[in-house]
Structure formats: structure tokens, C-alpha cells
């Protein structure tokens, strides 16, 4: 659940993925639960449709007539088996939601892959994420900065409590709004000793050299 919350707060892409995944799962479960009446009514409609088609000449080239007879078959089945037909409608809606949301997920996945590997293949985030796929000590990644996991027993570091950072202006003139830093648990920083080479995160420079 914590992972889902983190992904939800990351970007609109992951919000969309979570929403569509939820709809996909709900649609699939609803369809499976109503599969029996769906199959039963579908077979009844097919049989009734076949009966109606049997008395028509050259019906295979008359698409409009075929559809008309199919709708007539559905109305006849719905009047004879109203309860089963209602479940058929529910199952059809569930199947539509599953197909639609799953299709959107596939398109999102393709779009995300194209954006990552075609449009921004050399972005810092892709480079870091790729090189750190098998690095077990990665703690978190934020603003092109990677930290490893530390605890209170690691020498030469101190824990920083979560705190509010006031808005400021960057050297290039960009205004940065104030934000809450450190999440719920805070983070670790190196104790100042005048040597930047042993600071937390300095390992990443040597890793990429």
C-alpha cells in the first residue's frame, strides 16, 4: 500500500496506471463472477438468431437485416429470461470496462516506453535507474540525486527531521515554491568535516565515472 501511495504522488502517469489497473481488475472479477449467465444468455441469443436467419434468402449479404434480426433475438430472449438477461447486461458492461481499461494500460505502457527509450533515452533519471537496477542499497531517488540507506549507527552522519523549505529563487531566475522536505521520517546527511568527497551521495560520482 505504501508503494501505491508513493507511485500515486509521483506523476499523472502513475495515477493513470493505478486507476486503470483498478478498473481492469474490478472489470475482470465482475465478468468472471457473471460468466455463467453471460454464456447462457449469449448461447440463447445465438440460437434464436439462427432460427430467425433460417427463413431468409441471401441473408449473408444483407448485413443490415442480420443486425435487425439479432436485435429481435435479444429482445425475445430478454422477455423470456429477464433475470438472466439482466446479469448478461452486467457482465457485458464488466467485459467492456476490462477491455477498455486494459487497452488503455497497454497504450500507456507503449507510450511510456517510447518516451523513456526514444525521446529521453539519455536523461539523468534513466541513466541512474538503469545503472542501479541491481544495486540493493538504493534508498530513494529524487531530483537527480541518489542516496543509499543509512541508520543511526552509521558513523559520520546525522538525521534531519522533516521540515518546511521556504520558496526561493534559483541562480537562473527560476522561482521555486516552498515545499515539505523529508516526508514522514526525515533523512540522513553527512556531518560537516570540510571534505566533500566523503559526503552522502558522493559515491554516485565515482560510480558513473
Amino acid at each position: 500500500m505504501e508503494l501505491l501511495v508513493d507511485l500515486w504522488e509521483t506523476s499523472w502517469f502513475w495515477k493513470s496506471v493505478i486507476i486503470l489497473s483498478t478498473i481492469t481488475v474490478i472489470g475482470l472479477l465482475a465478468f468472471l463472477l457473471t460468466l455463467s449467465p453471460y454464456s447462457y444468455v449469449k448461447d440463447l441469443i445465438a440460437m434464436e438468431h439462427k432460427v430467425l436467419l433460417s427463413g431468409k434468402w441471401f441473408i449473408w449479404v444483407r448485413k443490415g437485416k442480420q443486425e435487425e434480426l439479432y436485435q429481435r433475438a435479444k429482445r425475445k430472449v430478454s422477455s423470456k429470461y429477464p433475470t438472466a438477461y439482466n446479469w448478461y447486461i452486467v457482465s457485458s458492461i464488466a467485459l467492456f470496462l476490462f477491455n477498455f481499461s486494459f487497452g488503455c494500460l497497454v497504450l500507456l505502457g507503449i507510450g511510456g516506453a517510447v518516451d523513456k527509450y526514444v525521446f529521453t533515452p539519455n536523461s539523468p533519471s534513466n541513466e541512474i535507474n538503469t545503472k542501479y537496477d541491481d544495486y540493493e542499497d538504493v534508498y530513494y531517488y529524487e531530483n537527480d540525486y541518489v542516496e543509499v540507506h543509512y541508520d543511526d549507527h552509521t558513523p559520520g552522519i546525522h538525521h534531519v527531521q522533516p521540515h518546511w523549505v521556504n520558496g526561493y529563487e534559483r541562480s537562473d531566475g527560476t522561482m521555486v515554491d516552498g515545499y515539505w522536505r523529508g516526508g514522514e521520517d526525515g533523512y540522513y546527511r553527512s556531518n560537516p568535516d570540510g571534505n566533500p568527497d566523503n559526503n552522502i551521495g558522493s559515491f554516485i560520482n565515482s560510480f558513473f565515472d
Side-chain angles (χ1 to χ4, degrees), residues 112-133:
V114 170
D115 178 68
K116 181 176 181 180
Y117 296 108
V118 177
F119 293 107
T120 57
N122 298 319
S123 67
S125 60
N126 289 338
E127 182 180 7
I128 291 176
N129 289 335
T130 300
K131 293 197 174 188
Y132 276 83
D133 281 343

Side-chain angles (χ1 to χ4, degrees), residues 57-100:
W57 292 91
F58 304 106
I59 193 64
W60 61 87
V61 296
R62 301 163 62 187
K63 299 299 182 182
K65 190 63 177 180
Q66 290 183 41
E67 179 61 25
E68 177 187 340
L69 294 177
Y70 184 77
Q71 295 302 323
R72 186 188 301 178
K74 288 179 66 175
R75 289 194 296 270
K76 188 171 182 179
V77 171
S78 66
S79 62
K80 292 180 65 175
Y81 309 94
T83 301
Y85 188 80
N86 289 336
W87 282 113
Y88 168 82
I89 295 298
V90 172
S91 187
S92 298
I93 295 173
L95 182 60
F96 169 79
L97 290 176
F98 168 76
N99 288 330
F100 177 79

Side-chain angles (χ1 to χ4, degrees), residues 15 113 149 169 179 199:
K15 286 185 176 70
H149 179 68
E169 182 178 358
Y179 61 95
N199 289 347

Side-chain angles (χ1 to χ4, degrees), residues 101-175:
S101 56
F102 183 76
C104 290
L105 277 175
V106 172
L107 291 177
L108 274 177
I110 294 174
V114 170
D115 178 68
K116 181 176 181 180
Y117 296 108
V118 177
F119 293 107
T120 57
N122 298 319
S123 67
S125 60
N126 289 338
E127 182 180 7
I128 291 176
N129 289 335
T130 300
K131 293 197 174 188
Y132 276 83
D133 281 343
D134 299 323
Y135 195 82
E136 297 180 353
D137 292 330
V138 171
Y139 184 51
Y140 69 83
Y141 167 77
E142 183 179 9
N143 296 330
D144 299 342
Y145 191 84
V146 176
E147 292 189 355
V148 294
H149 179 68
Y150 295 92
D151 56 41
D152 294 332
H153 301 290
T154 305
I157 67 168
H158 62 278
H159 183 263
V160 180
Q161 295 294 336
H163 59 280
W164 176 258
V165 177
N166 293 325
Y168 61 92
E169 182 178 358
R170 292 177 176 172
S171 58
D172 60 1
T174 303
M175 294 301 300

Side-chain angles (χ1 to χ4, degrees), residues 169-190:
E169 182 178 358
R170 292 177 176 172
S171 58
D172 60 1
T174 303
M175 294 301 300
V176 178
D177 295 332
Y179 61 95
W180 186 259
R181 187 176 188 183
E184 296 181 357
D185 302 321
Y187 54 93
Y188 290 94
R189 281 291 180 265
S190 303

